[in-house]
Amino acid sequence: YLSVGLGYEAWLRDIQDTQISGTTVSGYSEFYQVSYLKLGVVYDSIGSSNFKLGLKYPFKVNEVVGWSHYGYKNPALAPVSEVSLYAAWIYQFSKKWGVHLFYDSYSFKESPREPLINSDGTAATDSTTEDPLHVHQPDSFQHSFGTLISYHF
């Protein structure tokens, strides 16, 4: 049968400070909010398992980058959505207990470039050329695999 779903997810990605070849690279946080539509098929096999396979389209994506501790306003970015896949196998081994194996994904194209703004509201510029600085989210992908044990009461 056909399956249609509407969903919302939010997550915080915390990128830690690190050292690369003796150079300190500063970390920052990214907060994502994604509203999406799922369209798929569900196959109920004989017995107690079913399979789900479908497409997911994020129709609204917001990303806020936490740069305020560096003296900038936190830029708000809008990565461009692409269709991605999801799949699941669900096995009920009793009326109350089940196991789920799943795959989920997101795919985003580069966001539009946004001007980097200092905390005082002025445009941030390159210290050498005085050109305005911009920020963007590059192409990015997320692939999630997981297992769930479920208990129905």
Side-chain angles (χ1 to χ4, degrees):
Y1 61 89
L2 188 62
S3 173
V4 177
L6 185 65
Y8 170 82
E9 290 184 331
W11 65 90
L12 176 66
R13 180 176 169 206
D14 189 13
I15 302 168
Q16 300 296 309
D17 293 348
T18 190
Q19 290 265 333
I20 299 176
S21 302
T23 302
T24 299
V25 179
S26 298
Y28 56 93
S29 62
E30 297 173 329
F31 180 65
Y32 289 84
Q33 296 181 82
V34 180
S35 298
Y36 60 85
L37 177 67
K38 279 185 170 182
L39 177 63
V41 292
V42 177
Y43 174 71
D44 282 325
S45 63
I46 297 173
S48 52
S49 67
N50 69 42
F51 302 91
K52 296 179 182 181
L53 179 65
L55 302 173
K56 180 167 69 172
Y57 179 70
F59 60 87
K60 183 162 178 63
V61 181
N62 294 316
E63 175 190 2
V64 176
V65 182
W67 283 355
S68 60
H69 57 282
Y70 295 120
Y72 302 108
K73 290 192 174 188
N74 290 336
L77 305 176
V80 178
S81 302
E82 290 194 313
V83 173
S84 58
L85 296 174
Y86 72 91
W89 173 69
I90 300 152
Y91 178 73
Q92 279 310 120
F93 50 88
S94 76
K95 287 191 181 225
K96 294 196 178 257
W97 290 96
V99 64
H100 305 235
L101 302 175
F102 67 88
Y103 166 74
D104 201 2
S105 63
Y106 281 108
S107 179
F108 301 111
K109 286 291 192 189
E110 180 177 304
S111 70
R113 296 180 183 275
E114 297 293 334
L116 189 58
I117 305 298
N118 293 314
S119 56
D120 65 4
T122 60
T125 57
D126 182 291
S127 60
T128 309
T129 65
E130 296 299 317
D131 291 335
L133 296 176
H134 292 82
V135 63
H136 72 281
Q137 174 68 42
D139 290 354
S140 55
F141 309 93
Q142 175 183 318
H143 301 280
S144 303
F145 298 88
T147 302
L148 266 156
I149 303 294
S150 62
Y151 177 78
H152 300 271
F153 53 93

